[in-house]
Amino acid sequence: MAVTEDTGTAPINGKPQSWWSGLSLASVPTPYWFVGAILLLLPVLVGPFMLFQVFGWALILGMIALSLMFLGGYGGMVSLVQMSVAASAAYMLAIFGESAITQISLGWPWWVAIPIALIIATAFGTLTGALAVRTEGIYTIMITLAIASAFFYFTRQNYVLFNGFSGFNGVTPPELFGVDWRQPTPFYYLTLFWAAVAYLSVLYVSRAPFGLALQGVRDNARRMEALGYNVTAHRIAAYVLASFIAAVAGILLVWLNGQVSPGTAGIGPAIDILIIAVIGGLARPVGPFIGAIIYVLLRTFALDFMVSIGLSGERFQLLVGVVFLAIVFWSPDGILGLWERWRNRMNSTDRLTGKARDNDGGSEV
Amino acid sequence: MNAMANTSSMASRLSATGTANALELRGVSKFFGALAAMQDITLTVKPGERRAVLGSNGAGKTTLFNCITGDFLPTSGVVRMFGEDVTKFPPHDRIRRGLRRTYQISLLFGGLTVIDNVYLACRGVSRNRFSLIRPGRSDALMHAAADLIEAVHLTDVHDTLVSELSYGQQRQLEIALALAGAPRFILFDEPAAGLSPTERRDLIDILNNLPGHMGYIIIEHDMDVALRVAESVTMMHNGRIFKEGKPEEIEADPEVQELYLGGGFTHG
């Protein structure tokens, strides 16, 4: 992770820096090196199941939730359509590329099918955005939810293009450079690479004029108009970037599962993305990935846990729900919020004396 | 020859824009349902002119500003800026033509730092608003933003989150945002409201030190401020223009004094 999340700005009269300022490796704090090293060495540390089904899946869900974080955290727009955008990319790859459903799939080579899938999915997300940006708050949620459910029912009922209830199976990544990308370790590195690209892009753009202006729109849309910004155009542009990230994640998702069906983009998964983003925290791009890993661990191991305490295994959603409730109750800004409050308490200084406070957080009189 | 022809045509163009009024309102009205917030306002402001708009609460002053900036579309009437009919323009198109405004209640970006706020204002009226490339510290607009911050005495809080600023500092930042880019005409909506006497003096200095070609309209309750920064005054009452004239004429006007409870209007 080569970009710090430091939002501070150095004094103007410092040494001249250019657009890559903040990208130098020396400015990366130690914890980032640590996390980065663990992520890179993970194939040595954990087994193929953890690598593929847990971390691979978590990185993909994290990317989709990241696209929601970009819209919600920076743009103030909560979109429930991100999972549908990812699923539409997955469907398009299955339709234009190769799958087991040969009577529908066109079987075009991957280097044609993937760009087409990305473009169509991004266009779909952008179009949804163009409809949604004229509304605010709960109405944005309702419009995107309506489009997400329309997409779900459409794919389930359309057999000509989307193969209805069963969808497409047998969608596999291409063999490239002599590597079978469906194998756990290569696939893990593939998702890790794209997740890192998505994460760093969002981080970088957040401090670029476009990202700053988006945060301005979030804080005060009317003032942004009065500063010369076309707020509607800015919001739609945010959907373009978010949809593209979700579309890339969708391609990885169909390779992970080997299949895509209406269930991929159901209302449940759409809301799960929101849950992931909220659990992790919407304030910073790392939040969605934290949320995704917690969500995937719960989904994977809740069943065993429920059985071990004598409850029926199919009630695993109960545990997911309880954890979600607990996090939102104790920390409305997610795990990130918990972490930041803890760190502030550790580092807090007394405003009057400038001395470090006791670590119990109590203020001196 | 050719060059001379060009020069003369440019001169005529310049004089044409020079003679155009900075702002011209013809019969502008704004109704909210049956309520007339502003009725039949006709107002002309020359380039570089500095005018104060006075009036009690509900006189329609802020509605006037909102119709000029395009925050509201007027129910009827025409708004022209520098000779161009902008009645139907969205706010950002008017801003890009040189109009600026401040708000009575600060509208700032609380989640961003002071420099980011001013940088956004500078970027909003220049190119590459959608740029995905981070600005470097040597970026021209970053320097422009730093200069503006210095001009409104906020250098000490350059990197502070705006939500952590004091009220007075937020008011100063509000002004810095309006001065970004190359403003030709500025609308100040009660910039002195809630400021301490020292801050008021600073504000008057800032306004009086603006370049001569920068005209403005200022809404101000404090006569002490209004009379020191304006060369003409428009009095509004119940959504209509009540009186126009020089500050001293308005101040001496018996009808105006009547309106302001028999002379409570003076600043003595």
Side-chain angles (χ1 to χ4, degrees), chain B residues 66-104:
Chain B
N66 284 334
C67 283
I68 297 173
T69 53
D71 284 36
F72 300 159
L73 286 184
T75 314
S76 62
V78 176
V79 180
R80 301 173 79 85
M81 256 177 60
F82 302 103
E84 189 178 13
D85 184 350
V86 298
T87 315
K88 299 266 188 280
F89 281 28
H92 63 260
D93 275 338
R94 306 182 194 211
I95 300 301
R96 290 175 198 177
R97 281 168 172 74
L99 182 71
R100 300 285 186 279
R101 86 169 282 185
T102 71
Y103 289 84
Q104 189 178 356

Side-chain angles (χ1 to χ4, degrees), chain B residues 34-184:
Chain B
L35 176 80
M38 206 173 85
Q39 251 178 314
D40 197 27
I41 300 284
T42 295
L43 183 75
T44 309
V45 186
K46 293 186 202 64
E49 185 178 335
R50 292 162 181 208
R51 179 178 301 223
V53 173
L54 309 177
S56 49
N57 285 331
K61 305 182 301 288
T62 299
T63 307
L64 172 73
F65 272 21
N66 284 334
C67 283
I68 297 173
T69 53
D71 284 36
F72 300 159
L73 286 184
T75 314
S76 62
V78 176
V79 180
R80 301 173 79 85
M81 256 177 60
F82 302 103
E84 189 178 13
D85 184 350
V86 298
T87 315
K88 299 266 188 280
F89 281 28
H92 63 260
D93 275 338
R94 306 182 194 211
I95 300 301
R96 290 175 198 177
R97 281 168 172 74
L99 182 71
R100 300 285 186 279
R101 86 169 282 185
T102 71
Y103 289 84
Q104 189 178 356
I105 297 156
S106 295
L107 288 183
L108 301 165
F109 311 111
L112 299 177
T113 59
V114 170
I115 179 71
D116 285 347
N117 271 257
V118 183
Y119 177 75
L120 273 181
C122 294
R123 178 59 77 180
V125 287
S126 65
R127 300 158 73 95
N128 299 326
R129 278 175 287 262
F130 288 89
S131 170
L132 296 176
I133 307 296
R134 284 188 185 192
R137 306 288 181 247
S138 52
D139 188 285
L141 289 181
M142 271 293 180
H143 279 295
D147 290 345
L148 274 174
I149 289 173
E150 203 184 330
V152 296
H153 317 299
L154 287 178
T155 313
D156 291 348
V157 288
H158 189 273
D159 293 326
T160 309
L161 277 185
V162 165
S163 53
E164 292 168 9
L165 293 187
S166 74
Y167 179 82
Q169 288 171 324
Q170 292 195 358
R171 298 304 295 171
Q172 275 157 299
L173 181 60
E174 184 75 32
I175 289 171
L177 295 193
L179 295 179
R184 298 163 79 189

Side-chain angles (χ1 to χ4, degrees), chain B residues 194-213:
Chain B
L195 294 188
S196 71
T198 326
E199 289 167 335
R200 265 162 213 254
R201 268 199 301 281
D202 283 349
L203 175 73
I204 292 170
D205 282 347
I206 289 172
L207 293 181
N208 284 333
N209 288 334
L210 289 179
H213 69 273

